């Protein structure tokens, strides 16, 4: 949503649509959370390339549609690129054992995590959310301000429980029927796999 803030000042007629587009663009890649996470809907190269083209079109032919598409794609691209600077794709990302951050469809390989922010839900991650929210809270009113407040509540809660969620997920998976486990993302089966291996030995 912060991507749309300049429009509040320079093109307020496009700002509401751009705010919604930024919100959905930032969220969209994570709709693959349980189906090939950080691969199925994460396209760091393609989103970025399309965002450059869409932004140029929006500047040359400004309209609600062109601005919304540009902001959506920029939001999706930033989401995917920022995932690279976080942690890897694992149940306990603070352990830093995964070499998979985001899948690069252009090169056909996984991009390794840079861990500038140690993991999603880390205090540094919350600080980033708080930093982005300040100008939004200052500028926006009504429903948009409440959306920002709502996302902050989620961010603070997530940070508070993040490390416990890994243990909870591992516990829940142990109780799942065997027939359901093939549909569970691989990272949630890490503990189960290590236990099975130990038992087999």
């Amino acid at each position: 949503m912060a991507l749309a803030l300049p429009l509040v000042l320079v093109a307020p007629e496009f700002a509401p649509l751009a705010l919604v587009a930024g919100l959905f663009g930032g969220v969209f890649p994570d709709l693959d959370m349980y189906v090939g996470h950080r691969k199925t809907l994460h396209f760091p190269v393609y989103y970025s390339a399309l965002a450059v083209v869409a932004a140029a079109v929006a500047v040359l032919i400004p309209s609600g549609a062109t601005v919304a598409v540009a902001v959506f794609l920029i939001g999706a691209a930033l989401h995917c690129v920022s995932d690279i600077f976080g942690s890897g794709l694992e149940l306990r990302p603070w352990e830093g054992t995964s070499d998979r951050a985001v899948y690069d469809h252009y090169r056909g390989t996984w991009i390794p995590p840079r861990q500038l922010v140690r993991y999603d839900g880390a205090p540094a991650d919350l600080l980033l959310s708080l930093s982005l929210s300040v100008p939004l809270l200052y500028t926006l009113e009504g429903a948009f301000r409440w959306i920002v407040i709502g996302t902050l509540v989620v961010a603070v809660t997530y940070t508070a429980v993040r490390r416990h969620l890994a243990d909870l997920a591992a516990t829940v998976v142990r109780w799942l029927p065997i027939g359901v486990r093939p549909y569970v993302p691989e990272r949630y089966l890490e503990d189960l796999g290590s236990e099975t291996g130990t038992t087999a030995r």
Side-chain angles (χ1 to χ4, degrees):
M1 290 176 72
L3 294 169
L5 278 181
L7 293 174
V8 174
L9 301 175
V10 300
E13 67 276 19
F14 297 135
L17 194 55
L19 286 163
V20 172
L23 174 64
F24 283 106
V27 170
F28 180 76
D30 271 349
L31 295 181
D32 69 8
M33 186 71 70
Y34 295 101
V35 185
H37 186 39
R38 294 196 183 176
K39 182 176 183 180
T40 306
L41 294 178
H42 282 62
F43 299 91
V45 175
Y46 294 133
Y47 284 146
S48 299
L50 288 172
V52 170
V53 174
V57 170
V59 169
L60 295 172
I61 312 168
S63 71
T66 58
V67 169
V69 169
V71 174
F72 177 91
L73 288 170
I74 295 169
L78 284 175
H79 176 125
C80 298
V81 172
S82 66
D83 277 347
I84 296 168
F85 292 98
S87 59
L89 190 59
E90 56 192 311
L91 185 60
R92 295 180 178 83
W94 47 87
E95 294 177 355
T97 59
S98 174
D99 60 354
R100 296 179 170 192
V102 178
Y103 191 77
D104 179 354
H105 292 267
Y106 178 72
R107 295 177 181 82
T109 186
W110 284 91
I111 301 171
R114 304 293 191 263
Q115 290 192 316
L116 293 182
V117 174
R118 286 188 57 220
Y119 58 92
D120 56 301
D125 193 30
L126 177 60
L127 181 61
L128 183 58
S129 295
L130 292 170
S131 300
L132 288 171
S133 70
V134 169
L136 288 167
L137 290 171
Y138 179 78
T139 307
L140 303 180
E141 298 176 347
F144 287 118
R145 179 178 286 175
W146 282 108
I147 290 171
V148 175
I149 291 170
T151 58
L152 279 176
V153 170
V154 171
V156 170
T157 304
Y158 186 59
T159 300
V161 302
R162 176 63 180 96
R163 285 181 172 255
H164 302 292
L165 289 176
D167 295 331
L168 177 62
T171 301
V172 170
V173 166
R174 288 188 188 94
W175 291 96
L176 289 176
I178 297 295
V180 174
R181 289 179 186 170
Y183 303 99
V184 176
E186 194 175 306
R187 63 187 179 279
Y188 294 115
L189 302 172
E190 290 173 1
D191 288 354
L192 202 61
S194 63
E195 286 176 8
T196 304
T198 302
T199 304
R201 285 194 291 274

